Amino acid sequence: MNTTSPEPVGLRERKKARLRQELINTAVRLFHERGFEGTTTEEIAAAVGVSQRTFFRYFASKEAVVLAAAEGVDQILFEALRARPADESPFLALRNAMRDHWAHLEREGLHLIGATEDLSARSPEILDTNLRYCRQRQEQLAQVVGERAGVDPATDPRPSLVAAVFFAALNNGYQNWCSEGCQNTERLLRSFLEQLDLLPQAIGDDWGTPQARSA
Amino acid sequence: MNTTSPEPVGLRERKKARLRQELINTAVRLFHERGFEGTTTEEIAAAVGVSQRTFFRYFASKEAVVLAAAEGVDQILFEALRARPADESPFLALRNAMRDHWAHLEREGLHLIGATEDLSARSPEILDTNLRYCRQRQEQLAQVVGERAGVDPATDPRPSLVAAVFFAALNNGYQNWCSEGCQNTERLLRSFLEQLDLLPQAIGDDWGTPQARSA
DNA sequence: TGTCAAGTGTCAGTCGCTGACATAATCTCG
DNA sequence: CGAGATTATGTCAGCGACTGACACTTGACA
């Protein structure tokens, strides 16, 4: 969903928004069924009933569709972050927001982006793309982190840094989850949280005894 | 340079290694001259005197060449990391290794990867690719970090996490440097170090007063 | 020296992506 | 409502990354 703009006014705008959403939904569905690589942009366009050229007028690249789908999910994360108590530090709040956000995802399923089933578990490639092309998402997250902390991401480098590190940790957790065979999503969340919780120690002075990955 | 294998033995092996290196050198040179996007794989192949098909038999993608070139640079970083005193914490050692490594780069230039001039400053696109596709580099770095700390990256998640966060911070520093107009390389190093030094505070509990980017 | 494997070139083809131009749908304003 | 200006879309041609198949050459090795 385009959660940023409230309501398209003219018929033209409404049609455009609807088509855009339909492209996203169809693309996500096809990615589920055939995988990201296994789906061509022409197939997506054909399934919606438009030309490939039109597809590329809506999205700069095949990956951009995934990014657009992720935006809806991110909005929920941002909401969860805003809802955290103000006395939590930015990073901790982000960690907890991630947990809350996940619960929300499990409850709601993912119909908000047009899929009825779990996105991550069904198509790791998609999450992969998500995590790899996270610049834009990172910027948006930095914005929210900055707001919450009352600093301007344009001048204070810390929000961006927190966002970057957050996604880096997630990426790591995701890879671990994959290497363990892409099990259920609770495990993925646990993998995420593990990385986030380990972070302070990992960059800290005392590594203590060797750490074992939580089984 | 393929710094991992000591010496190719047969004539065949030697030819292969030489061709591979020539492809890397030529590609990097052309990227310098015309930019990454502005150079086609056919041009690279033609400049070396082989077919495009052969190029793709040596490298899985256009970006893989850049990655291969970066490997040589990374080896120096790894050396610098190994050379840090053992009582430095992994993250701090990495930070200082980065500084040492940079000095080395400035001194040596970059003929080790076939370029006579500064890679980063001349062609931001290349560094961009470097930072974006850093999975492989991340794994290698995690390996070295683990060795130094005496833990196994396969079971202890911290080395990978440190490596991931390290590259995330670098990425961030790079973006800042870009947004400030891609000035000289000392500035880039400073931007890197700034991000690394800010990290503990950024994920810490106390953000204190708003921070200003070091001008 | 002859045989076998490995490296290479050529060719055809797929797919992501773009520019150009014509057509059709919407909007605006009289 | 209707004419003309905007904007969205389709079609087509083309580029560049990348791949499979097959024939050919070159180094390896008995």
Side-chain angles (χ1 to χ4, degrees):
Chain A
M1 268 240 59
N2 193 343
T3 47
T4 51
S5 63
E7 298 264 334
V9 276
L11 168 57
R12 203 172 239 165
E13 297 298 316
R14 252 177 298 135
K15 268 180 99 171
K16 235 170 63 172
R18 211 183 325 132
L19 178 52
R20 182 185 147 85
Q21 194 55 46
E22 206 178 339
L23 282 168
I24 295 178
N25 295 349
T26 306
V28 169
R29 182 172 53 79
L30 291 178
F31 291 161
H32 276 160
E33 293 171 11
R34 320 178 188 175
F36 183 76
E37 305 284 330
T39 309
T40 71
T41 57
E42 246 166 7
E43 284 169 342
I44 300 170
V48 176
V50 297
S51 70
Q52 188 203 31
R53 194 66 185 84
T54 294
F55 173 92
F56 279 110
R57 276 194 264 255
Y58 279 79
F59 302 99
S61 69
K62 197 173 152 189
E63 272 134 4
V65 201
V66 182
L67 225 52
E71 223 166 276
V73 180
D74 279 351
Q75 292 301 328
I76 306 183
L77 173 63
F78 298 163
E79 282 315 309
L81 179 55
R82 292 195 189 95
R84 295 303 309 171
D87 63 334
E88 276 183 350
S89 75
F91 187 71
L92 181 60
L94 199 46
R95 182 249 187 233
N96 290 334
M98 183 71 206
R99 192 198 45 204
D100 302 346
H101 156 253
W102 205 262
H104 192 284
L105 273 189
E106 302 256 317
R107 244 185 296 122
E108 298 279 324
L110 288 178
H111 27 236
L112 76 150
I113 60 165
T116 55
E117 285 161 310
D118 181 7
L119 184 77
S120 317
R122 296 285 295 228
S123 187
E125 275 170 325
I126 293 185
L127 188 51
D128 189 62
T129 303
N130 262 335
L131 291 173
R132 240 173 55 209
Y133 295 81
C134 56
R135 266 219 186 136
Q136 194 185 326
R137 304 177 67 190
Q138 200 174 300
E139 274 173 38
Q140 289 181 16
L141 179 55
Q143 196 64 40
V144 181
V145 169
E147 274 171 28
R148 218 190 78 101
V151 302
D152 181 8
T155 60
D156 190 317
R158 291 174 302 177
S160 305
L161 189 53
V162 166
V165 164
F166 176 74
F167 277 115
L170 253 50
N171 204 337
N172 239 38
Y174 171 65
Q175 279 177 246
N176 285 345
W177 180 71
C178 283
S179 71
E180 281 165 7
C182 296
Q183 312 206 8
N184 57 44
T185 53
E186 290 109 86
R187 254 188 119 92
L188 179 56
L189 174 61
R190 259 202 291 162
S191 194
F192 283 160
L193 295 181
E194 183 194 356
Q195 297 295 315
L196 293 172
D197 293 337
L198 220 49
L199 223 164
Q201 195 211 336
I203 68 168
D205 285 342
D206 183 22
W207 268 32
T209 55
Q211 194 92 14
R213 186 162 301 168
S214 75
Chain B
M1 267 242 62
N2 194 343
T3 47
T4 51
S5 63
E7 297 265 334
V9 274
L11 169 57
R12 204 172 237 166
E13 297 298 316
R14 253 177 296 136
K15 266 180 102 170
K16 234 170 62 172
R18 212 184 323 135
L19 177 52
R20 182 185 146 86
Q21 194 55 45
E22 205 176 340
L23 281 168
I24 295 177
N25 295 348
T26 306
V28 170
R29 182 170 53 77
L30 290 179
F31 291 160
H32 276 160
E33 292 171 11
R34 319 177 189 177
F36 182 76
E37 305 284 330
T39 308
T40 71
T41 55
E42 247 167 7
E43 285 170 343
I44 301 170
V48 176
V50 297
S51 71
Q52 189 203 30
R53 193 68 186 83
T54 293
F55 173 91
F56 279 111
R57 275 195 263 255
Y58 279 78
F59 302 100
S61 68
K62 197 171 152 188
E63 272 134 4
V65 201
V66 181
L67 224 53
E71 223 166 275
V73 180
D74 279 352
Q75 291 302 329
I76 305 182
L77 172 64
F78 298 162
E79 283 314 311
L81 178 56
R82 292 196 189 93
R84 294 302 310 171
D87 63 335
E88 274 184 349
S89 76
F91 186 71
L92 181 61
L94 199 46
R95 181 246 187 235
N96 290 334
M98 183 72 207
R99 190 198 45 205
D100 302 347
H101 156 255
W102 205 262
H104 191 282
L105 275 189
E106 302 257 316
R107 242 184 297 121
E108 297 279 325
L110 288 178
H111 26 238
L112 73 151
I113 60 165
T116 55
E117 284 160 311
D118 180 5
L119 185 75
S120 317
R122 296 286 294 227
S123 186
E125 276 169 325
I126 293 184
L127 189 50
D128 190 60
T129 303
N130 263 334
L131 292 173
R132 240 174 54 209
Y133 295 81
C134 55
R135 267 220 183 132
Q136 195 185 325
R137 303 177 66 190
Q138 201 173 298
E139 273 173 39
Q140 289 182 16
L141 179 55
Q143 197 63 41
V144 181
V145 169
E147 274 171 28
R148 218 190 78 101
V151 302
D152 181 8
T155 60
D156 192 318
R158 293 173 300 177
S160 306
L161 189 54
V162 166
V165 164
F166 176 75
F167 277 116
L170 255 49
N171 204 338
N172 239 38
Y174 171 65
Q175 279 177 246
N176 286 345
W177 179 71
C178 282
S179 70
E180 282 165 7
C182 295
Q183 312 205 6
N184 56 44
T185 53
E186 290 109 84
R187 253 187 120 91
L188 180 56
L189 174 60
R190 261 203 291 163
S191 193
F192 284 160
L193 295 182
E194 182 195 358
Q195 298 293 316
L196 293 173
D197 293 337
L198 219 50
L199 223 166
Q201 196 212 335
I203 68 168
D205 286 340
D206 184 23
W207 269 31
T209 56
Q211 195 92 14
R213 187 162 299 167
S214 74

